[in-house]
Each structure stands twice: as structure tokens, then as C-alpha cells.
Amino acid sequence: QSVLTQPPSVSEAPRQRVTISCSGSSSNIGSNSVHWYQHLPGKAPKLVMFYDDVLSSGVSDRFSGSKSGTSASLAIRGLQSEDEADYYCAAWDDTLNGWVFGGGTKLTVL
Amino acid sequence: QFHVQESGPGLVKPSETLSLLCTVSGAPMNTVGYYWAWIRQSPGRGLEWIGSIHYTETTYYKSALESRVTISMDTSKNSFSLKLTSVTAADAATYYCATMASRDLGFDPWGQGILVSVSS
């Protein structure tokens, strides 16, 4: 059971827009920055978003992030097959005194 | 820009200690503000933060693992290590090391990961 809650999977057609949600609490998302990672099988996870909504260097501007209260979202517009991956949110948790990850969301581009 | 790379045995026996090393290149790892982390992914599961060490050598551990985990750094070798005692099959995973310039900036970069199996 992950501290941050993500949908296990999402799917959408190419060139469409998809949103991945991440729900937490006041001790993590509600009071600290959210990061998003893209993880392809057999590869190192890649930071795509930090500070809730800041695009990491080299990441396509088709990616965007947002946060409201204790929830955050990662949106990808103009979906491409190369976006198929697992996506994880993460944040520092003041109560646990450590980083917590979401359970991950598998994005399928139909 | 830092580069990090994991190394260590790919097989550990149950009840023994898992020991991994993360070698850092590109800059001194005692650069002000930086955190150095171990994160793992068990088969079919998500990413799990194990613990981190700050450049001040302050350590932070996941509470469920705290009794078995030690993370330490060796600035003379520009590396940091993970020791996990009394391993069981549940500790079989791909282990990643990563760095973070500050809590707000995310883990970046990550190593390629090292697969560790637990079996007698």
C-alpha cells in the first residue's frame, strides 16, 4: 500500500491528452514539492517534473504538472508511442521523515 | 553533472547482508546540499525509497527498513554504500542509487540499477 495513490493504469490514443493523478495528504503533497518520474523497463527512472510543475531539462514540453491541495497531476498532450512507460509521483513526507512514492501508473498509448 | 553507478553482488543468501556500492563521478559528493539515495523496485512492484544520506552525513531511512539498513558515504572514494541485513526473498529487487540537489528538485540522475536475487 503506497502512501501516494495513483491509478494503476491509463490509456489513450496517439495525439490525445492524458492525465495521471497522484493523491496524498497534508504531510506530503500538501506541504512539499511533487516530483514525477518516467520509468521504461530495463532503464533508469528519469525525472520529468519537479517543484510540482517545472519541466526537467530535456523533457518534451508536451508534459506538464500541477498541484492543488493534497493532489497532483501529470498531463501529457499529443501522446506518442514513446510516452508508453510507468509513471511515478514522489514527495517528501514530514511525518514519515522520508520520501514516499506512488504505486506507479502504466501508460498505454493505444 | 553527476553520474552514479551501482555495483555489488547479484546474489545474496537468505539471512545474510546485502552490500552495494554507488560510485559517484562528475563532482565531489560532499557538494553542499546534495542527498544521496538508495531506491529499489521489487519484481512487479513500484519504486520504494530505502534511505538517503545528506552531504552532512545525516541519514534518513524508511521506517519499515530502519532496523536493517545502513547507508554511509566515503568522500575519499566519492562513493556511498548500502548495507541491508538479514535479507529475505522480499528483498530481491533492482536497486538504484540516485542523487538529489535538494528536496524540491527530485532524484536526478539515477544509476542503471543492479538486480539482486536472494537465494540459497
Side-chain angles (χ1 to χ4, degrees):
Chain A
Q1 195 82 352
S2 301
V3 174
L4 304 182
T5 301
Q6 298 180 234
S9 64
V10 295
S11 59
E12 188 52 90
R15 297 181 299 281
Q16 299 304 305
R17 182 179 186 273
V18 71
T19 301
I20 299 171
S21 62
C22 176
S23 177
S25 68
S26 58
S27 64
N28 42 66
I29 293 178
S31 52
N32 294 291
S33 299
V34 177
H35 322 140
W36 289 92
Y37 300 89
Q38 178 190 62
H39 193 197
L40 293 160
K43 297 235 176 182
K46 174 185 176 182
L47 177 71
V48 296
M49 199 75 57
F50 61 94
Y51 254 135
D52 305 333
D53 58 7
V54 179
L55 205 58
S56 185
S57 176
V59 175
S60 169
D61 63 1
R62 296 184 296 104
F63 289 76
S64 61
S66 63
K67 186 174 83 173
S68 178
T70 60
S71 294
S73 294
L74 177 71
I76 312 170
R77 60 177 175 83
L79 276 172
Q80 301 177 3
S81 58
E82 68 199 48
D83 300 327
E84 259 198 10
D86 294 324
Y87 291 86
Y88 293 87
C89 59
W92 176 264
D93 190 294
D94 293 329
T95 298
L96 298 175
N97 207 35
W99 276 275
V100 291
F101 281 87
T105 298
K106 183 177 181 60
L107 168 63
T108 300
V109 180
L110 300 171
Chain B
Q1 172 70 326
F2 287 106
H3 177 78
V4 293
Q5 180 66 56
E6 308 87 353
S7 60
L11 179 64
V12 183
K13 291 182 169 59
S15 80
E16 295 193 345
T17 297
L18 181 161
S19 295
L20 297 176
L21 185 71
C22 183
T23 302
V24 179
S25 58
M29 65 178 298
N30 58 2
T31 300
V32 172
Y34 274 77
Y35 294 85
W36 305 91
W38 288 98
I39 297 158
R40 69 182 181 182
Q41 183 178 32
S42 302
R45 304 194 66 176
L47 298 173
E48 176 186 19
W49 174 76
I50 299 169
S52 296
I53 186 165
H54 192 229
Y55 81 105
T56 57
E57 302 200 41
T58 301
T59 51
Y60 305 85
Y61 300 128
K62 179 173 181 172
S63 56
L65 298 171
E66 188 163 15
S67 63
R68 299 194 292 130
V69 173
T70 302
I71 296 175
S72 58
M73 57 193 287
D74 186 339
T75 54
S76 68
K77 296 181 180 178
N78 226 36
S79 64
F80 63 107
S81 65
L82 168 71
K83 293 190 188 303
L84 181 66
T85 63
S86 304
V87 299
T88 69
D91 295 311
T94 296
Y95 286 76
Y96 298 96
C97 63
T99 187
M100 175 186 280
S102 81
R103 286 184 190 175
D104 293 321
L105 299 182
F107 295 107
D108 182 42
W110 298 56
Q112 284 298 308
I114 183 168
L115 178 62
V116 178
S117 300
V118 178
S119 175
S120 55

